[in-house]
Coordinates of all heavy atoms in Angstrom, one line a residue:
M238 N -13.0 -15.7 -3.3 CA -13.2 -15.3 -2.0 C -14.0 -14.0 -1.9 O -13.7 -13.0 -2.6 CB -11.9 -15.1 -1.3 CG -12.0 -14.5 0.1 SD -10.4 -14.2 0.9 CE -10.0 -15.9 1.4
K239 N -15.1 -14.0 -1.1 CA -15.9 -12.8 -1.0 C -15.2 -11.8 -0.1 O -14.7 -12.1 1.0 CB -17.2 -13.2 -0.4 CG -18.2 -12.0 -0.3 CD -19.5 -12.4 0.2 CE -20.4 -11.2 0.3 NZ -21.7 -11.5 0.8
P240 N -15.1 -10.5 -0.5 CA -14.5 -9.5 0.3 C -15.2 -9.3 1.6 O -16.4 -9.4 1.7 CB -14.5 -8.2 -0.6 CG -14.7 -8.7 -1.9 CD -15.5 -10.0 -1.8
R241 N -14.4 -9.1 2.7 CA -15.0 -8.8 4.0 C -15.2 -7.4 4.3 O -16.0 -7.0 5.1 CB -14.2 -9.5 5.1 CG -14.1 -11.0 5.0 CD -13.2 -11.5 6.0 NE -11.8 -11.0 5.6 CZ -10.7 -11.7 5.9 NH1 -10.8 -12.8 6.5 NH2 -9.5 -11.2 5.6
H242 N -14.5 -6.5 3.6 CA -14.5 -5.1 3.8 C -15.2 -4.4 2.7 O -14.9 -4.7 1.5 CB -13.1 -4.5 4.0 CG -12.3 -5.2 5.2 ND1 -12.4 -4.7 6.4 CD2 -11.6 -6.3 5.2 CE1 -11.7 -5.5 7.2 NE2 -11.2 -6.5 6.5
T243 N -16.0 -3.4 3.0 CA -16.7 -2.7 1.9 C -16.2 -1.3 1.6 O -16.6 -0.7 0.7 CB -18.2 -2.6 2.3 OG1 -18.3 -2.0 3.5 CG2 -18.8 -4.0 2.3
V244 N -15.3 -0.8 2.4 CA -14.7 0.5 2.2 C -13.3 0.4 1.5 O -12.7 -0.6 1.7 CB -14.5 1.3 3.5 CG1 -15.9 1.6 4.1 CG2 -13.7 0.6 4.5
D245 N -12.9 1.4 0.8 CA -11.6 1.4 0.1 C -10.5 1.4 1.2 O -10.7 2.0 2.2 CB -11.5 2.6 -0.8 CG -12.4 2.6 -2.0 OD1 -13.1 1.6 -2.2 OD2 -12.3 3.5 -2.8
W246 N -9.4 0.8 0.8 CA -8.2 0.8 1.6 C -7.2 1.8 1.0 O -7.2 2.0 -0.2 CB -7.6 -0.6 1.7 CG -8.3 -1.5 2.6 CD1 -9.2 -1.2 3.6 CD2 -8.3 -2.9 2.5 NE1 -9.7 -2.4 4.2 CE2 -9.1 -3.5 3.6 CE3 -7.6 -3.9 1.7 CZ2 -9.3 -4.8 3.8 CZ3 -7.8 -5.2 1.9 CH2 -8.6 -5.7 3.0
F247 N -6.3 2.2 1.8 CA -5.2 3.0 1.4 C -4.0 2.1 1.2 O -3.5 1.4 2.2 CB -4.8 4.1 2.4 CG -5.9 5.1 2.6 CD1 -7.0 4.9 3.4 CD2 -5.9 6.3 1.9 CE1 -8.0 5.8 3.6 CE2 -7.0 7.2 2.0 CZ -8.0 6.9 2.8
V248 N -3.5 2.0 0.0 CA -2.5 1.0 -0.4 C -1.2 1.7 -0.8 O -1.2 2.5 -1.7 CB -3.0 0.1 -1.5 CG1 -2.0 -1.0 -1.9 CG2 -4.3 -0.6 -1.1
P249 N -0.1 1.4 -0.1 CA 1.2 2.0 -0.5 C 1.6 1.5 -1.9 O 1.5 0.3 -2.2 CB 2.1 1.6 0.6 CG 1.5 0.4 1.2 CD 0.1 0.4 1.0
V250 N 2.2 2.5 -2.7 CA 2.6 2.2 -4.0 C 4.0 2.9 -4.3 O 4.3 3.8 -3.6 CB 1.6 2.6 -5.1 CG1 0.3 1.8 -5.0 CG2 1.4 4.1 -5.1
H251 N 4.7 2.4 -5.3 CA 5.8 3.1 -5.8 C 5.4 3.5 -7.2 O 4.8 2.7 -7.9 CB 7.0 2.1 -5.9 CG 7.5 1.6 -4.6 ND1 8.1 2.4 -3.7 CD2 7.4 0.4 -4.0 CE1 8.4 1.6 -2.6 NE2 8.0 0.4 -2.8
S252 N 5.7 4.7 -7.7 CA 5.3 5.1 -9.0 C 6.4 5.7 -9.8 O 7.4 6.2 -9.2 CB 4.1 6.1 -9.0 OG 4.5 7.3 -8.4
A253 N 6.3 5.5 -11.1 CA 7.3 6.1 -12.0 C 6.4 6.6 -13.2 O 5.8 5.8 -13.9 CB 8.3 5.1 -12.5
G254 N 6.3 7.9 -13.3 CA 5.4 8.5 -14.3 C 4.0 8.1 -14.0 O 3.5 8.3 -12.9
D255 N 3.3 7.5 -15.1 CA 1.9 7.1 -14.9 C 1.8 5.6 -14.4 O 0.7 5.2 -14.4 CB 1.2 7.2 -16.3 CG 1.1 8.6 -16.7 OD1 1.1 9.5 -15.9 OD2 1.0 8.9 -17.9
I256 N 2.8 5.0 -14.1 CA 2.8 3.6 -13.7 C 3.0 3.5 -12.2 O 4.0 4.0 -11.7 CB 3.8 2.7 -14.4 CG1 3.5 2.8 -15.9 CG2 3.8 1.3 -13.9 CD1 4.5 2.1 -16.8
A257 N 2.1 2.8 -11.5 CA 2.2 2.6 -10.1 C 2.3 1.1 -9.8 O 1.5 0.3 -10.4 CB 1.1 3.2 -9.3
T258 N 3.2 0.7 -8.9 CA 3.2 -0.7 -8.5 C 2.9 -0.8 -7.0 O 3.3 0.0 -6.2 CB 4.6 -1.4 -8.8 OG1 5.6 -0.6 -8.2 CG2 4.9 -1.4 -10.3
L259 N 2.2 -1.9 -6.7 CA 1.9 -2.1 -5.3 C 3.1 -2.4 -4.4 O 4.0 -3.1 -4.9 CB 0.9 -3.2 -5.1 CG -0.4 -3.1 -5.8 CD1 -1.3 -4.3 -5.6 CD2 -1.2 -1.8 -5.3
Q260 N 3.2 -1.9 -3.2 CA 4.2 -2.2 -2.3 C 3.8 -3.5 -1.6 O 2.7 -3.6 -1.1 CB 4.5 -1.1 -1.3 CG 5.5 -1.4 -0.3 CD 5.8 -0.2 0.6 OE1 5.7 0.9 0.2 NE2 6.2 -0.5 1.8
T261 N 4.6 -4.5 -1.5 CA 4.4 -5.7 -0.8 C 5.4 -5.8 0.3 O 6.4 -5.1 0.3 CB 4.4 -6.9 -1.7 OG1 5.7 -7.1 -2.3 CG2 3.3 -6.9 -2.8
G262 N 5.2 -6.7 1.2 CA 6.1 -7.0 2.3 C 6.3 -8.5 2.5 O 5.8 -9.3 1.8
R263 N 7.2 -8.8 3.5 CA 7.4 -10.2 3.8 C 7.3 -10.3 5.3 O 7.7 -9.4 6.1 CB 8.8 -10.6 3.4 CG 8.9 -10.7 1.9 CD 10.1 -11.6 1.5 NE 10.3 -11.6 0.0 CZ 9.7 -12.5 -0.7 NH1 9.0 -13.5 -0.2 NH2 9.9 -12.5 -2.0
L264 N 6.7 -11.4 5.7 CA 6.6 -11.7 7.1 C 7.9 -12.3 7.6 O 8.7 -12.7 6.7 CB 5.5 -12.7 7.4 CG 4.1 -12.2 7.0 CD1 3.0 -13.3 7.2 CD2 3.7 -11.0 7.9
P265 N 8.2 -12.4 8.9 CA 9.5 -13.0 9.3 C 9.7 -14.4 8.8 O 10.9 -14.7 8.6 CB 9.3 -13.1 10.9 CG 8.4 -11.9 11.2 CD 7.4 -11.9 10.0
D266 N 8.7 -15.2 8.5 CA 8.9 -16.5 7.9 C 9.1 -16.5 6.4 O 9.3 -17.5 5.7 CB 7.8 -17.4 8.2 CG 6.4 -17.0 7.6 OD1 6.4 -16.0 6.8 OD2 5.4 -17.7 7.9
G267 N 9.2 -15.2 5.8 CA 9.4 -15.1 4.4 C 8.2 -15.0 3.5 O 8.3 -14.7 2.3
L268 N 7.0 -15.3 4.0 CA 5.8 -15.2 3.2 C 5.6 -13.8 2.7 O 5.6 -12.8 3.5 CB 4.6 -15.7 4.1 CG 3.2 -15.6 3.4 CD1 3.2 -16.7 2.3 CD2 2.1 -15.8 4.4
R269 N 5.3 -13.7 1.4 CA 5.0 -12.4 0.8 C 3.6 -12.0 1.1 O 2.7 -12.8 0.9 CB 5.3 -12.5 -0.7 CG 5.4 -11.1 -1.4 CD 5.9 -11.4 -2.8 NE 5.9 -10.1 -3.5 CZ 6.0 -10.0 -4.8 NH1 6.1 -11.1 -5.5 NH2 6.0 -8.9 -5.4
V270 N 3.4 -10.7 1.4 CA 2.0 -10.3 1.8 C 1.7 -8.9 1.1 O 2.6 -8.1 0.8 CB 1.8 -10.1 3.3 CG1 1.9 -11.4 4.0 CG2 2.8 -9.1 3.9
G271 N 0.5 -8.7 0.8 CA 0.0 -7.4 0.4 C -0.1 -6.5 1.6 O -0.2 -7.0 2.7
I272 N -0.1 -5.2 1.4 CA -0.1 -4.2 2.5 C -1.3 -3.3 2.2 O -1.4 -2.7 1.1 CB 1.2 -3.5 2.6 CG1 2.3 -4.4 2.9 CG2 1.1 -2.4 3.7 CD1 3.7 -3.8 2.8
A273 N -2.1 -3.0 3.2 CA -3.2 -2.0 3.1 C -3.5 -1.4 4.5 O -3.1 -2.0 5.5 CB -4.4 -2.7 2.6
F274 N -4.0 -0.2 4.4 CA -4.4 0.5 5.6 C -5.8 1.0 5.6 O -6.3 1.3 4.5 CB -3.5 1.8 5.8 CG -2.0 1.4 6.0 CD1 -1.2 1.2 4.9 CD2 -1.5 1.2 7.2 CE1 0.1 0.8 5.0 CE2 -0.2 0.8 7.4 CZ 0.6 0.6 6.3
T275 N -6.4 1.0 6.7 CA -7.8 1.4 6.8 C -8.0 2.9 6.8 O -9.1 3.4 6.4 CB -8.5 0.9 8.1 OG1 -7.7 1.3 9.2 CG2 -8.6 -0.6 8.0
T276 N -7.0 3.7 7.1 CA -7.0 5.1 7.1 C -5.7 5.7 6.5 O -4.6 5.0 6.6 CB -7.2 5.8 8.5 OG1 -6.1 5.5 9.3 CG2 -8.5 5.2 9.1
L277 N -5.7 6.9 6.0 CA -4.5 7.5 5.5 C -3.6 7.8 6.7 O -2.4 7.7 6.6 CB -4.9 8.8 4.8 CG -3.7 9.6 4.2 CD1 -2.9 8.7 3.3 CD2 -4.2 10.8 3.5
A278 N -4.2 8.2 7.9 CA -3.4 8.4 9.1 C -2.6 7.2 9.5 O -1.4 7.3 9.8 CB -4.3 8.9 10.2
N279 N -3.1 6.0 9.4 CA -2.4 4.8 9.7 C -1.3 4.6 8.7 O -0.2 4.2 9.1 CB -3.4 3.6 9.7 CG -4.3 3.6 10.9 OD1 -4.1 4.4 11.8 ND2 -5.2 2.7 10.9
L280 N -1.5 4.8 7.4 CA -0.5 4.6 6.4 C 0.7 5.6 6.7 O 1.8 5.2 6.7 CB -1.1 4.9 5.0 CG -0.1 4.7 3.9 CD1 -0.7 4.0 2.7 CD2 0.5 6.0 3.4
R281 N 0.3 6.9 7.0 CA 1.4 7.9 7.2 C 2.2 7.5 8.5 O 3.4 7.7 8.5 CB 0.8 9.3 7.4 CG 0.1 9.8 6.1 CD 1.2 10.2 5.2 NE 0.6 10.9 4.0 CZ 0.8 10.5 2.8 NH1 1.6 9.5 2.5 NH2 0.2 11.2 1.8
A282 N 1.5 7.0 9.5 CA 2.2 6.7 10.8 C 3.2 5.5 10.5 O 4.2 5.5 11.1 CB 1.2 6.3 11.8
A283 N 2.8 4.6 9.7 CA 3.7 3.4 9.4 C 4.8 3.7 8.4 O 5.9 3.2 8.5 CB 2.8 2.3 8.9
S284 N 4.5 4.5 7.4 CA 5.4 4.7 6.2 C 6.0 6.1 6.0 O 6.8 6.3 5.2 CB 4.6 4.3 4.9 OG 4.1 3.0 5.0
G285 N 5.5 7.0 6.8 CA 6.0 8.4 6.6 C 5.1 9.3 5.7 O 4.3 8.7 4.9
P286 N 5.4 10.6 5.7 CA 4.5 11.5 5.0 C 4.7 11.5 3.5 O 3.8 11.9 2.7 CB 4.9 12.9 5.6 CG 6.3 12.7 6.0 CD 6.4 11.2 6.5
R287 N 5.8 10.9 3.0 CA 6.1 10.9 1.5 C 5.6 9.7 0.8 O 5.8 9.6 -0.4 CB 7.5 11.3 1.3 CG 7.9 12.7 1.7 CD 9.3 13.1 1.2 NE 10.3 12.3 1.7 CZ 11.1 12.6 2.7 NH1 11.0 13.8 3.2 NH2 12.0 11.8 3.2
Q288 N 5.1 8.7 1.6 CA 4.7 7.5 0.9 C 3.6 7.7 -0.1 O 2.6 8.3 0.3 CB 4.2 6.4 2.0 CG 3.7 5.2 1.4 CD 4.7 4.4 0.6 OE1 5.8 4.1 1.2 NE2 4.4 4.1 -0.6
E289 N 3.8 7.3 -1.3 CA 2.7 7.4 -2.3 C 1.7 6.3 -2.0 O 2.0 5.2 -1.4 CB 3.3 7.2 -3.7 CG 4.3 8.2 -4.0 CD 5.0 7.9 -5.3 OE1 5.6 6.9 -5.4 OE2 4.8 8.7 -6.2
W290 N 0.4 6.5 -2.4 CA -0.6 5.6 -2.1 C -1.7 5.7 -3.2 O -1.8 6.6 -4.0 CB -1.2 5.8 -0.8 CG -1.7 7.2 -0.5 CD1 -0.9 8.3 -0.1 CD2 -3.0 7.8 -0.8 NE1 -1.7 9.4 0.0 CE2 -2.9 9.1 -0.4 CE3 -4.2 7.2 -1.2 CZ2 -4.1 9.9 -0.5 CZ3 -5.3 8.0 -1.3 CH2 -5.2 9.4 -0.9
M291 N -2.6 4.7 -3.2 CA -3.8 4.7 -4.0 C -4.9 4.0 -3.2 O -4.6 3.3 -2.2 CB -3.7 4.0 -5.3 CG -3.4 2.5 -5.3 SD -3.4 1.7 -6.9 CE -2.2 2.6 -7.8
R292 N -6.1 4.3 -3.5 CA -7.3 3.7 -2.8 C -7.8 2.6 -3.7 O -8.0 2.7 -4.9 CB -8.4 4.7 -2.6 CG -8.0 5.8 -1.6 CD -9.1 6.7 -1.2 NE -10.0 5.9 -0.3 CZ -10.9 6.5 0.5 NH1 -11.0 7.8 0.5 NH2 -11.6 5.8 1.2
L293 N -7.9 1.4 -3.0 CA -8.4 0.2 -3.7 C -9.4 -0.5 -2.8 O -9.3 -0.5 -1.6 CB -7.3 -0.8 -4.0 CG -6.2 -0.4 -5.0 CD1 -5.1 -1.4 -5.1 CD2 -6.9 -0.3 -6.4
T294 N -10.4 -1.2 -3.4 CA -11.2 -2.0 -2.6 C -10.5 -3.3 -2.3 O -9.4 -3.6 -2.9 CB -12.5 -2.4 -3.4 OG1 -12.1 -3.2 -4.6 CG2 -13.3 -1.2 -3.8
E295 N -10.9 -4.0 -1.3 CA -10.3 -5.3 -1.0 C -10.3 -6.2 -2.2 O -9.3 -6.9 -2.5 CB -11.1 -6.0 0.2 CG -10.5 -7.4 0.5 CD -11.3 -8.1 1.6 OE1 -12.3 -7.6 2.1 OE2 -10.9 -9.2 1.9
E296 N -11.4 -6.3 -2.9 CA -11.5 -7.1 -4.1 C -10.5 -6.8 -5.2 O -9.8 -7.6 -5.7 CB -12.9 -7.1 -4.7 CG -13.1 -7.9 -5.9 CD -14.6 -7.9 -6.4 OE1 -15.3 -7.0 -6.1 OE2 -14.9 -8.8 -7.2
A297 N -10.3 -5.5 -5.4 CA -9.4 -5.0 -6.4 C -7.9 -5.3 -6.0 O -7.1 -5.7 -6.8 CB -9.5 -3.5 -6.7
L298 N -7.7 -5.1 -4.7 CA -6.3 -5.4 -4.2 C -6.0 -6.9 -4.4 O -5.0 -7.3 -4.8 CB -6.2 -5.0 -2.8 CG -4.8 -5.2 -2.1 CD1 -3.7 -4.6 -2.9 CD2 -4.8 -4.7 -0.7
R299 N -7.0 -7.8 -4.0 CA -6.8 -9.2 -4.1 C -6.6 -9.6 -5.5 O -5.7 -10.5 -5.9 CB -7.9 -10.0 -3.5 CG -7.9 -9.9 -1.9 CD -8.9 -10.8 -1.3 NE -9.0 -10.6 0.1 CZ -8.0 -11.1 1.0 NH1 -7.0 -11.8 0.5 NH2 -8.2 -10.8 2.3
E300 N -7.4 -9.1 -6.5 CA -7.2 -9.4 -7.9 C -5.9 -9.0 -8.4 O -5.3 -9.7 -9.3 CB -8.4 -8.7 -8.7 CG -9.7 -9.4 -8.5 CD -10.8 -8.6 -9.2 OE1 -10.6 -7.6 -9.9 OE2 -12.0 -9.0 -9.0
T301 N -5.4 -7.9 -8.0 CA -4.1 -7.4 -8.4 C -2.9 -8.2 -7.9 O -1.9 -8.5 -8.5 CB -3.9 -5.9 -8.0 OG1 -5.0 -5.1 -8.5 CG2 -2.6 -5.4 -8.5
L302 N -3.1 -8.7 -6.6 CA -2.0 -9.5 -6.0 C -2.0 -11.0 -6.4 O -1.0 -11.6 -6.4 CB -2.2 -9.4 -4.5 CG -1.9 -8.1 -3.8 CD1 -2.3 -8.1 -2.4 CD2 -0.4 -7.7 -4.0
A303 N -3.2 -11.5 -6.9 CA -3.3 -12.9 -7.2 C -2.3 -13.4 -8.3 O -1.7 -14.4 -8.1 CB -4.7 -13.2 -7.7
P304 N -2.0 -12.6 -9.4 CA -1.1 -13.1 -10.3 C 0.4 -13.2 -9.7 O 1.2 -13.9 -10.3 CB -1.1 -12.1 -11.4 CG -2.4 -11.4 -11.3 CD -2.7 -11.5 -9.8
L305 N 0.6 -12.5 -8.7 CA 1.9 -12.6 -8.0 C 2.0 -13.7 -7.0 O 3.0 -13.9 -6.4 CB 2.2 -11.3 -7.3 CG 2.1 -10.0 -8.1 CD1 2.2 -8.8 -7.2 CD2 3.2 -10.0 -9.2
G306 N 0.9 -14.4 -6.8 CA 0.8 -15.5 -5.9 C 0.7 -15.1 -4.4 O 0.8 -15.8 -3.5
V307 N 0.3 -13.8 -4.2 CA 0.1 -13.2 -2.9 C -1.4 -13.4 -2.5 O -2.3 -12.9 -3.2 CB 0.5 -11.8 -2.8 CG1 0.2 -11.2 -1.5 CG2 2.0 -11.6 -3.2
T308 N -1.6 -14.1 -1.4 CA -3.0 -14.4 -1.0 C -3.3 -13.7 0.3 O -4.5 -13.6 0.7 CB -3.3 -15.9 -0.9 OG1 -2.4 -16.4 0.0 CG2 -3.2 -16.5 -2.3
R309 N -2.3 -13.3 1.0 CA -2.6 -12.7 2.4 C -2.3 -11.2 2.3 O -1.4 -10.7 1.6 CB -1.6 -13.3 3.4 CG -1.8 -12.7 4.8 CD -1.0 -13.4 5.8 NE -1.0 -12.7 7.1 CZ -0.5 -13.2 8.2 NH1 0.2 -14.3 8.2 NH2 -0.6 -12.5 9.3
I310 N -3.2 -10.4 3.0 CA -3.1 -9.0 3.1 C -2.9 -8.6 4.5 O -3.7 -9.0 5.4 CB -4.3 -8.3 2.5 CG1 -4.5 -8.6 1.0 CG2 -4.2 -6.7 2.8 CD1 -5.8 -8.1 0.4
Q311 N -1.8 -7.9 4.8 CA -1.5 -7.4 6.1 C -2.2 -6.0 6.3 O -1.8 -5.1 5.6 CB 0.0 -7.3 6.3 CG 0.4 -7.1 7.8 CD 0.2 -8.3 8.6 OE1 0.3 -9.5 8.1 NE2 -0.1 -8.1 9.9
L312 N -3.3 -6.0 7.1 CA -4.0 -4.7 7.2 C -3.5 -4.0 8.4 O -3.4 -4.5 9.5 CB -5.5 -5.1 7.4 CG -6.5 -4.0 7.3 CD1 -6.4 -3.2 6.0 CD2 -7.9 -4.5 7.5
D313 N -3.2 -2.7 8.2 CA -2.7 -1.8 9.2 C -1.5 -2.3 9.9 O -1.4 -2.3 11.2 CB -3.8 -1.4 10.3 CG -4.9 -0.5 9.7 OD1 -4.5 0.3 8.9 OD2 -6.0 -0.7 10.1
P314 N -0.4 -2.7 9.2 CA 0.8 -3.1 9.8 C 1.4 -1.9 10.5 O 1.2 -0.7 10.1 CB 1.7 -3.5 8.7 CG 1.2 -2.9 7.5 CD -0.3 -2.7 7.7
V315 N 2.1 -2.1 11.6 CA 2.7 -1.0 12.4 C 3.9 -0.3 11.7 O 4.0 0.9 11.7 CB 3.1 -1.5 13.8 CG1 3.8 -0.5 14.6 CG2 1.9 -2.1 14.5
L316 N 4.7 -1.1 11.0 CA 5.9 -0.5 10.4 C 6.0 -1.2 9.0 O 6.1 -2.4 8.9 CB 7.1 -0.8 11.2 CG 8.4 -0.2 10.6 CD1 8.4 1.3 10.5 CD2 9.6 -0.7 11.4
V317 N 6.1 -0.4 7.9 CA 6.2 -0.9 6.6 C 7.7 -0.8 6.2 O 8.2 -1.6 5.5 CB 5.3 -0.1 5.6 CG1 5.6 -0.5 4.2 CG2 3.9 -0.4 6.0
G318 N 8.4 0.3 6.6 CA 9.7 0.5 6.2 C 10.4 1.4 7.1 O 9.8 1.9 8.1
P319 N 11.7 1.7 6.9 CA 12.4 2.6 7.7 C 11.8 4.0 7.7 O 11.2 4.5 6.7 CB 13.8 2.6 7.2 CG 13.7 2.2 5.8 CD 12.5 1.3 5.7
D320 N 11.9 4.7 8.8 CA 11.4 6.1 8.9 C 12.3 7.0 8.1 O 13.5 7.1 8.4 CB 11.3 6.6 10.3 CG 10.8 8.0 10.4 OD1 10.4 8.6 9.4 OD2 11.0 8.6 11.5
V321 N 11.8 7.6 7.0 CA 12.7 8.4 6.1 C 12.5 9.9 6.4 O 13.1 10.7 5.7 CB 12.4 8.1 4.6 CG1 12.9 6.7 4.3 CG2 11.0 8.3 4.3
S322 N 11.6 10.2 7.3 CA 11.3 11.6 7.6 C 12.5 12.4 8.1 O 12.6 13.6 7.8 CB 10.1 11.8 8.5 OG 10.5 11.2 9.8
S323 N 13.5 11.8 8.7 CA 14.6 12.5 9.2 C 15.8 12.5 8.2 O 16.8 13.1 8.4 CB 15.1 11.9 10.5 OG 15.5 10.6 10.4
Q324 N 15.6 11.7 7.1 CA 16.7 11.6 6.1 C 16.5 12.7 5.0 O 15.4 13.2 4.8 CB 16.7 10.3 5.4 CG 16.9 9.1 6.4 CD 16.8 7.8 5.7 OE1 16.6 7.7 4.5 NE2 16.9 6.7 6.5
P325 N 17.6 13.1 4.3 CA 17.4 14.2 3.3 C 16.5 13.7 2.2 O 16.4 12.5 1.9 CB 18.9 14.3 2.7 CG 19.8 13.6 3.7 CD 18.9 12.6 4.5
A326 N 15.7 14.6 1.7 CA 14.8 14.3 0.6 C 15.5 13.9 -0.6 O 16.6 14.4 -1.0 CB 13.9 15.5 0.3
L327 N 15.0 12.8 -1.3 CA 15.6 12.4 -2.5 C 15.0 13.2 -3.7 O 13.9 13.6 -3.7 CB 15.2 10.9 -2.7 CG 15.7 9.9 -1.7 CD1 15.2 8.5 -1.9 CD2 17.2 9.9 -1.7
Q328 N 15.9 13.4 -4.7 CA 15.4 14.0 -5.9 C 14.7 13.0 -6.7 O 15.3 12.1 -7.2 CB 16.6 14.6 -6.7 CG 17.3 15.7 -5.9 CD 16.5 16.9 -5.7 OE1 15.6 17.2 -6.5 NE2 16.7 17.6 -4.6
T329 N 13.4 13.2 -6.9 CA 12.6 12.2 -7.7 C 11.7 13.0 -8.6 O 11.5 14.2 -8.5 CB 11.7 11.3 -6.8 OG1 10.7 12.2 -6.1 CG2 12.5 10.6 -5.7
S330 N 11.1 12.2 -9.5 CA 10.2 12.8 -10.5 C 8.8 12.4 -10.1 O 7.9 12.5 -10.9 CB 10.5 12.3 -11.9 OG 10.4 10.9 -12.0
H331 N 8.6 11.9 -8.9 CA 7.3 11.5 -8.5 C 6.3 12.7 -8.2 O 6.8 13.7 -7.7 CB 7.3 10.7 -7.2 CG 8.2 9.5 -7.2 ND1 8.0 8.5 -8.2 CD2 9.3 9.1 -6.5 CE1 8.9 7.5 -8.0 NE2 9.7 7.9 -7.0
P332 N 5.1 12.5 -8.6 CA 4.2 13.6 -8.3 C 3.9 13.7 -6.8 O 4.1 12.7 -6.1 CB 2.9 13.1 -9.1 CG 3.0 11.7 -9.2 CD 4.5 11.4 -9.3
S333 N 3.5 14.9 -6.4 CA 3.3 15.1 -5.0 C 2.0 14.5 -4.5 O 1.7 14.3 -3.4 CB 3.4 16.6 -4.6 OG 2.4 17.3 -5.4
Q334 N 1.1 14.3 -5.5 CA -0.2 13.7 -5.2 C -0.2 12.2 -5.4 O 0.6 11.7 -6.2 CB -1.3 14.3 -6.1 CG -1.5 15.8 -5.8 CD -2.1 16.0 -4.4 OE1 -2.9 15.3 -3.9 NE2 -1.5 17.0 -3.8
P335 N -1.0 11.4 -4.7 CA -1.0 10.0 -4.8 C -1.5 9.6 -6.2 O -2.3 10.3 -6.8 CB -1.9 9.5 -3.7 CG -2.8 10.7 -3.4 CD -2.0 11.9 -3.7
A336 N -1.1 8.4 -6.6 CA -1.7 7.9 -7.9 C -3.1 7.5 -7.6 O -3.4 7.0 -6.5 CB -0.9 6.6 -8.3
L337 N -4.0 7.7 -8.5 CA -5.4 7.4 -8.3 C -5.8 6.3 -9.3 O -5.4 6.3 -10.5 CB -6.3 8.6 -8.5 CG -6.0 9.8 -7.6 CD1 -6.9 10.9 -8.0 CD2 -6.3 9.4 -6.2
V338 N -6.6 5.4 -8.9 CA -7.2 4.3 -9.7 C -8.7 4.5 -9.8 O -9.3 4.6 -8.8 CB -6.8 2.9 -9.2 CG1 -7.5 1.8 -10.0 CG2 -5.3 2.7 -9.1
H339 N -9.2 4.5 -11.0 CA -10.7 4.6 -11.1 C -11.2 3.3 -11.7 O -10.6 2.7 -12.5 CB -11.0 5.8 -12.0 CG -10.6 7.1 -11.4 ND1 -11.3 7.7 -10.5 CD2 -9.5 7.8 -11.6 CE1 -10.7 8.8 -10.1 NE2 -9.6 8.9 -10.8

């Protein structure tokens, strides 16, 4: 499938040390989807200020999701998870900067 978007997307991830895994979601019907945002502001609005992220092209995101059987990407979803900004901070070893992929 030829990518439709030519700019990088902001993709939410969970990381442990040097390893980052993509955050995926499920639609109400149970279908698993990839998640991506067109701007960092949209990602922060949906996921909160502490959400880790990396920048990926549409093609790279699709290639990463394909082995998982995920073919649909939800672009700029309104809500990815619960708002954690009002909850106490968790003690983690996550870096304060997003994981980067080159």
Side-chain angles (χ1 to χ4, degrees):
M238 171 182 280
K239 184 177 179 181
R241 295 176 294 210
H242 300 273
T243 57
V244 296
D245 290 357
W246 285 338
F247 295 84
V248 179
V250 298
H251 300 287
S252 66
D255 292 337
I256 299 174
T258 57
L259 299 178
Q260 180 176 328
T261 60
R263 290 198 183 270
L264 297 176
D266 65 5
L268 179 68
R269 193 171 177 195
V270 296
I272 300 170
F274 295 88
T275 54
T276 67
L277 182 56
N279 287 351
L280 181 141
R281 294 286 186 235
S284 303
R287 291 190 297 259
Q288 175 64 54
E289 298 173 299
W290 55 273
M291 65 173 57
R292 290 188 75 161
L293 291 175
T294 63
E295 178 184 358
E296 182 178 16
L298 180 56
R299 289 190 184 283
E300 288 174 2
T301 305
L302 293 170
L305 305 173
V307 177
T308 58
R309 180 171 172 177
I310 297 171
Q311 192 71 30
L312 190 59
D313 288 326
V315 176
L316 178 65
V317 172
D320 179 11
V321 296
S322 61
S323 63
Q324 297 177 5
L327 298 175
Q328 295 295 328
T329 66
S330 59
H331 301 304
S333 60
Q334 295 296 316
L337 300 177
V338 174
H339 297 279

